[in-house]
Amino acid sequence: EKGGYKHFMLKEIFEQPRAIRDTTLGRISLDTGRVFLAEMEISDEEFRDIEKINIAACGTSWHAATAGKFMIERLARIPVEVDYASEFRYRDPIAGRNTLGLLITQSGETADTLAAQREMIAKGSKTVAICNVVGAMIAREAHGTIYTHAGPEIGVASTKAFTSQLVALFLFALHLAQVRGSVSEDESRTLVEALSLLPGKVREILHTCDSECEALARRYSGARDALFLGRGIHYPIALEGALKLKEISYIHAEGYPAGEMKHGPNALIDETLPVIVLATKDEHNRDSVLRYEKTLSNIQEVTARSGKVIAVAIEGDTAIRQLVDHVLCIPAAPELLLPILDVIPLQLLAYHIAVRRGCDVDQPRNLAKSVTVE
Ligand code: M6R
């Protein structure tokens, strides 16, 4: 049942090229760049009238939500608020008919996320679910569902569901942008084409990074703490890398916006601390290049204090090799799609470290796959 893999988690990490392809299947046209979303009880006119989107989710799905905010705001120019589902109801959120509720959930049964959805509906909002389990409660109560076609996820640590959620969010953002006229046909075509190339790129990363991460695990599995840094849309990926590591290896890990280090966390750095930095860039995107340059100075802040840096960077980036201890390479992609690639080495790193520490990777202590209590 594990298809020759030692753990479900590893099998699911390796299923990502297929999961990503299946999530786009039938929803994009390479000729026109258009995105089609079926099963929506929300009209294009309603999509045009939306003034704000409220996203609620938990755990890894909340990280997808936080990356999704960048996609929706950048492409559709609609302001997005992201909440932990467990916090949403208790702040008397501002929501109504012109607010769209978006729930992100692998299981579709998470109690807090369901409660947030009911609060949104009670306030008069329509809701869309991004969900992996067909017919799950949250999908049944939503006015529209974008199913992620990741297939059943058994490992408690979410992997293929996460990258599929990012794909679904990207499709949703681009669809909204097309309905609202905030994206050109040219840009749509370029983005849809880039989306269709992702499965091959993920396959390439799996091929090169698996053994590299295994080697890094040998070196760093004894660490007591770890830091994950990113900027912009890569900050939620840093959070996700930290969550993966802590939940399966029990190493204390934190994700931080790289620029915030000097406001406190720099005090933690010493020669025993591995710092994993997302230092990719999209050459065609000015903001991304700027983000990359700032990230390089953040890396120097870490190395100047003897921290050990593992960077995730774009293939062919020779400059970064001079600055850090290890580089994990990924292929280039547009900025909004890079998270789907740069999370893969983080998943592999967490997996190999946990295996080396003898942890029960698929069934970490104190955790359940589906959290049905508030
Ligand atoms: O089924 P959901 O996506 O609603 O679950 C949300 C979280 O419980 C889940 O992502 C959890 O954080 C995972 N263990 C992360 O790997």
Side-chain angles (χ1 to χ4, degrees):
E1 51 177 359
K2 289 181 199 149
Y5 290 96
K6 207 166 147 205
H7 296 98
F8 281 110
M9 183 182 175
L10 191 63
K11 171 172 176 267
E12 289 161 3
I13 289 174
F14 274 81
E15 280 172 350
Q16 289 179 110
R18 202 255 325 126
I20 291 168
R21 199 200 51 232
D22 286 356
T23 301
T24 59
L25 216 66
R27 290 176 169 153
I28 54 173
S29 158
L30 285 169
D31 291 340
T32 62
R34 304 238 16 129
V35 174
F36 310 98
L37 300 175
E39 292 156 60
M40 285 286 160
E41 287 165 39
I42 302 174
S43 65
D44 283 359
E45 195 177 342
E46 283 173 294
F47 275 140
R48 273 191 284 271
D49 288 343
I50 295 169
E51 286 165 11
K52 190 182 70 163
I53 295 180
N54 275 120
I55 317 186
C58 304
T60 286
S61 298
W62 184 86
H63 297 150
T66 307
K69 172 185 165 82
F70 286 82
M71 299 175 182
I72 296 169
E73 290 189 343
R74 157 71 184 78
L75 294 172
R77 307 307 294 161
I78 305 171
V80 178
E81 274 177 31
V82 182
D83 277 84
Y84 289 110
S86 57
E87 296 285 333
F88 185 74
R89 271 198 302 169
Y90 306 102
R91 66 176 181 97
D92 193 10
I94 301 169
R97 290 214 0 249
N98 290 342
T99 320
L100 179 76
L102 179 59
L103 295 312
I104 305 178
T105 170
Q106 187 285 129
S107 63
E109 306 285 345
T110 302
D112 283 317
T113 309
L114 179 62
Q117 179 181 34
R118 290 184 174 158
E119 174 79 12
M120 290 166 178
I121 293 171
K123 293 213 161 196
S125 302
K126 289 205 167 174
T127 65
V128 169
I130 291 179
C131 178
N132 195 43
V133 176
V134 176
M137 189 70 102
I138 290 169
R140 287 209 301 270
E141 298 200 7
H143 303 86
T145 299
I146 307 170
Y147 280 110
T148 44
H149 297 299
E153 193 179 60
I154 312 288
V156 164
S158 185
T159 53
K160 62 176 180 171
F162 178 67
T163 42
S164 304
Q165 286 168 344
L166 292 175
V167 169
L169 278 159
F170 185 80
L171 291 172
F172 184 57
L174 191 53
H175 180 71
L176 279 178
Q178 291 172 349
V179 169
R180 294 164 68 100
S182 58
V183 70
S184 71
E185 249 187 74
D186 263 6
E187 193 180 1
S188 283
R189 251 195 304 266
T190 311
L191 289 173
V192 161
E193 150 110 55
L195 189 61
S196 74
L197 296 177
L198 288 180
K201 291 182 181 180
V202 171
R203 209 167 287 125
E204 191 184 321
I205 299 170
L206 292 169
H207 186 73
T208 56
C209 286
D210 189 38
S211 51
E212 286 172 19
C213 288
E214 202 175 350
L216 285 173
R218 244 172 272 141
R219 169 114 189 237
Y220 292 106
S221 62
R224 203 190 51 183
D225 308 281
L227 268 180
F228 289 75
L229 307 181
R231 301 179 79 107
I233 196 170
H234 305 278
Y235 163 53
I237 304 307
L239 294 174
E240 173 62 6
L243 177 61
K244 284 297 82 101
L245 186 66
K246 74 182 110 177
E247 74 178 328
I248 62 171
S249 77
Y250 316 141
I251 294 175
H252 165 242
E254 277 189 75
Y256 240 85
E260 279 290 300
M261 290 295 289
K262 49 187 160 315
H263 302 288
N266 270 350
L268 293 171
I269 301 174
D270 64 17
E271 65 292 342
T272 68
L273 184 75
V275 183
I276 297 92
V277 185
L278 297 167
T280 54
K281 75 173 150 185
D282 168 4
E283 293 275 12
H284 309 289
N285 178 318
R286 209 171 41 104
D287 291 338
S288 173
V289 173
L290 208 64
R291 169 184 65 67
Y292 168 79
E293 281 160 9
K294 297 275 181 213
T295 305
L296 291 189
S297 1
N298 300 136
I299 286 176
Q300 280 159 324
E301 289 165 20
V302 175
T303 51
R305 291 164 182 80
S306 311
K308 297 282 168 285
V309 176
I310 302 170
V312 178
I314 300 292
E315 278 163 3
D317 183 344
T318 44
I320 202 158
R321 296 200 177 265
Q322 326 299 318
L323 299 178
V324 303
D325 297 275
H326 313 276
V327 182
L328 294 163
C329 285
I330 67 166
E335 178 73 354
L336 293 179
L337 294 176
L338 275 175
I340 297 166
L341 302 179
D342 57 21
V343 72
I344 312 279
L346 306 191
Q347 297 169 341
L348 287 168
L349 195 61
Y351 172 78
H352 286 296
I353 288 179
V355 168
R356 263 203 97 72
R357 288 167 70 95
C359 298
D360 186 348
V361 175
D362 286 333
Q363 279 294 336
R365 67 187 181 203
N366 310 335
L367 298 177
K369 183 66 186 163
S370 174
V371 184
T372 50
V373 289
E374 281 184 55

Short mmCIF file of all heavy atoms in Angstrom, two decimals, residues 58-61 104-110 113 156-158 165 240 243-244 247 367-371, ligand 1:
data_model
loop_
_atom_site.label_atom_id
_atom_site.label_comp_id
_atom_site.label_asym_id
_atom_site.label_seq_id
_atom_site.Cartn_x
_atom_site.Cartn_y
_atom_site.Cartn_z
N CYS A 58 -6.65 26.08 9.16
CA CYS A 58 -5.79 25.69 10.28
C CYS A 58 -4.50 25.05 9.76
O CYS A 58 -4.50 24.43 8.70
CB CYS A 58 -6.46 24.62 11.15
SG CYS A 58 -8.06 25.09 11.78
N GLY A 59 -3.44 25.17 10.54
CA GLY A 59 -2.20 24.43 10.29
C GLY A 59 -1.64 24.69 8.90
O GLY A 59 -1.52 25.84 8.45
N THR A 60 -1.30 23.59 8.23
CA THR A 60 -0.73 23.70 6.88
C THR A 60 -1.67 24.43 5.93
O THR A 60 -1.23 25.21 5.08
CB THR A 60 -0.39 22.29 6.37
OG1 THR A 60 0.78 21.83 7.08
CG2 THR A 60 -0.12 22.26 4.89
N SER A 61 -2.97 24.19 6.09
CA SER A 61 -3.94 24.85 5.20
C SER A 61 -3.92 26.37 5.44
O SER A 61 -4.16 27.15 4.52
CB SER A 61 -5.34 24.29 5.44
OG SER A 61 -5.36 22.91 5.12
N ILE A 104 -10.07 26.72 3.53
CA ILE A 104 -9.10 25.80 2.95
C ILE A 104 -8.92 24.64 3.91
O ILE A 104 -8.61 24.85 5.09
CB ILE A 104 -7.77 26.51 2.67
CG1 ILE A 104 -8.05 27.73 1.79
CG2 ILE A 104 -6.78 25.58 1.98
CD1 ILE A 104 -6.86 28.56 1.49
N THR A 105 -9.13 23.44 3.44
CA THR A 105 -9.06 22.28 4.32
C THR A 105 -8.83 21.00 3.52
O THR A 105 -9.56 20.75 2.55
CB THR A 105 -10.34 22.17 5.18
OG1 THR A 105 -10.36 20.91 5.85
CG2 THR A 105 -11.62 22.32 4.37
N GLN A 106 -7.85 20.22 3.91
CA GLN A 106 -7.62 18.94 3.26
C GLN A 106 -8.79 18.02 3.54
O GLN A 106 -9.41 17.50 2.63
CB GLN A 106 -6.30 18.35 3.79
CG GLN A 106 -5.81 17.08 3.10
CD GLN A 106 -6.56 15.81 3.47
OE1 GLN A 106 -7.00 15.06 2.59
NE2 GLN A 106 -6.76 15.58 4.74
N SER A 107 -9.11 17.84 4.81
CA SER A 107 -10.11 16.85 5.22
C SER A 107 -11.54 17.30 4.95
O SER A 107 -12.42 16.49 4.72
CB SER A 107 -9.97 16.56 6.71
OG SER A 107 -10.24 17.75 7.45
N GLY A 108 -11.76 18.62 5.01
CA GLY A 108 -13.12 19.13 4.89
C GLY A 108 -13.95 18.90 6.13
O GLY A 108 -15.16 19.14 6.14
N GLU A 109 -13.31 18.44 7.20
CA GLU A 109 -14.04 18.11 8.43
C GLU A 109 -13.48 18.84 9.64
O GLU A 109 -13.92 18.57 10.76
CB GLU A 109 -13.97 16.59 8.71
CG GLU A 109 -14.43 15.69 7.56
CD GLU A 109 -15.95 15.67 7.37
OE1 GLU A 109 -16.67 16.11 8.29
OE2 GLU A 109 -16.38 15.22 6.30
N THR A 110 -12.49 19.70 9.49
CA THR A 110 -11.87 20.36 10.65
C THR A 110 -12.90 21.24 11.37
O THR A 110 -13.49 22.13 10.76
CB THR A 110 -10.66 21.19 10.19
OG1 THR A 110 -9.76 20.29 9.54
CG2 THR A 110 -9.95 21.85 11.35
N THR A 113 -12.61 25.08 11.28
CA THR A 113 -12.82 25.65 9.94
C THR A 113 -14.31 25.64 9.60
O THR A 113 -14.84 26.60 9.03
CB THR A 113 -11.97 24.86 8.92
OG1 THR A 113 -10.63 24.79 9.41
CG2 THR A 113 -11.96 25.53 7.55
N VAL A 156 0.15 12.04 8.62
CA VAL A 156 -0.42 13.16 9.39
C VAL A 156 0.16 14.49 8.90
O VAL A 156 -0.52 15.50 8.84
CB VAL A 156 -0.18 12.95 10.92
CG1 VAL A 156 -0.40 14.24 11.69
CG2 VAL A 156 -1.11 11.86 11.44
N ALA A 157 1.43 14.47 8.53
CA ALA A 157 2.06 15.69 8.00
C ALA A 157 1.58 15.91 6.56
O ALA A 157 1.80 15.08 5.68
CB ALA A 157 3.57 15.56 8.04
N SER A 158 0.95 17.03 6.33
CA SER A 158 0.38 17.31 5.02
C SER A 158 1.47 17.71 4.02
O SER A 158 2.31 18.56 4.32
CB SER A 158 -0.64 18.44 5.16
OG SER A 158 -1.29 18.66 3.95
N GLN A 165 -3.25 22.57 -2.74
CA GLN A 165 -4.00 23.75 -2.29
C GLN A 165 -3.43 25.02 -2.92
O GLN A 165 -4.17 25.92 -3.32
CB GLN A 165 -3.92 23.88 -0.76
CG GLN A 165 -4.78 22.88 -0.02
CD GLN A 165 -4.47 22.81 1.48
OE1 GLN A 165 -3.41 23.28 1.93
NE2 GLN A 165 -5.36 22.22 2.25
N GLU A 240 5.73 26.88 6.90
CA GLU A 240 5.37 25.50 6.59
C GLU A 240 6.58 24.57 6.80
O GLU A 240 6.44 23.46 7.34
CB GLU A 240 4.83 25.41 5.15
CG GLU A 240 4.56 24.01 4.62
CD GLU A 240 3.50 23.22 5.40
OE1 GLU A 240 2.87 23.78 6.31
OE2 GLU A 240 3.35 22.03 5.10
N LEU A 243 6.87 24.03 10.49
CA LEU A 243 5.81 23.15 11.00
C LEU A 243 6.12 21.69 10.64
O LEU A 243 5.99 20.80 11.49
CB LEU A 243 4.44 23.56 10.45
CG LEU A 243 3.26 22.66 10.87
CD1 LEU A 243 3.06 22.65 12.38
CD2 LEU A 243 1.96 23.11 10.20
N LYS A 244 6.54 21.45 9.40
CA LYS A 244 6.87 20.08 8.99
C LYS A 244 7.93 19.51 9.91
O LYS A 244 7.79 18.41 10.42
CB LYS A 244 7.40 20.01 7.55
CG LYS A 244 6.45 20.12 6.39
CD LYS A 244 5.42 19.04 6.27
CE LYS A 244 4.25 19.32 7.18
NZ LYS A 244 3.06 19.88 6.59
N GLU A 247 6.61 19.01 13.66
CA GLU A 247 5.59 18.00 13.94
C GLU A 247 6.10 16.58 13.77
O GLU A 247 5.63 15.68 14.45
CB GLU A 247 4.28 18.24 13.18
CG GLU A 247 4.28 17.94 11.71
CD GLU A 247 2.91 18.18 11.05
OE1 GLU A 247 1.88 17.99 11.69
OE2 GLU A 247 2.91 18.56 9.87
N LEU A 367 -0.80 13.86 17.72
CA LEU A 367 -1.50 14.49 16.59
C LEU A 367 -2.48 13.52 15.92
O LEU A 367 -2.28 12.32 15.95
CB LEU A 367 -0.49 14.98 15.54
CG LEU A 367 0.51 16.05 16.00
CD1 LEU A 367 1.47 16.38 14.88
CD2 LEU A 367 -0.21 17.31 16.46
N ALA A 368 -3.52 14.11 15.31
CA ALA A 368 -4.47 13.30 14.55
C ALA A 368 -4.56 13.86 13.14
O ALA A 368 -4.30 15.04 12.93
CB ALA A 368 -5.83 13.35 15.21
N LYS A 369 -4.92 13.02 12.19
CA LYS A 369 -5.01 13.49 10.79
C LYS A 369 -6.15 14.49 10.64
O LYS A 369 -6.04 15.46 9.93
CB LYS A 369 -5.19 12.29 9.86
CG LYS A 369 -5.23 12.66 8.38
CD LYS A 369 -3.89 13.21 7.90
CE LYS A 369 -3.93 13.72 6.47
NZ LYS A 369 -2.77 14.60 6.18
N SER A 370 -7.24 14.20 11.30
CA SER A 370 -8.39 15.08 11.13
C SER A 370 -8.83 15.56 12.51
O SER A 370 -9.02 14.75 13.42
CB SER A 370 -9.46 14.27 10.40
OG SER A 370 -10.63 15.00 10.32
N VAL A 371 -8.92 16.89 12.68
CA VAL A 371 -9.16 17.44 14.02
C VAL A 371 -10.62 17.89 14.11
O VAL A 371 -10.98 18.98 13.66
CB VAL A 371 -8.20 18.61 14.31
CG1 VAL A 371 -8.40 19.13 15.74
CG2 VAL A 371 -6.75 18.15 14.13
O1 M6R B 1 -7.82 18.92 7.08
P1 M6R B 1 -7.31 20.34 7.29
O2 M6R B 1 -6.55 20.84 6.13
O3 M6R B 1 -8.43 21.26 7.69
O4 M6R B 1 -6.33 20.21 8.52
C1 M6R B 1 -5.69 21.35 9.04
C2 M6R B 1 -4.54 20.99 9.97
O5 M6R B 1 -5.01 20.19 11.03
C3 M6R B 1 -3.40 20.26 9.25
O6 M6R B 1 -2.94 20.98 8.15
C4 M6R B 1 -2.23 20.01 10.21
O7 M6R B 1 -1.62 21.22 10.57
C5 M6R B 1 -1.20 19.05 9.60
N1 M6R B 1 -0.76 18.10 10.57
C6 M6R B 1 0.03 19.74 9.06
O8 M6R B 1 0.95 18.87 8.52
#
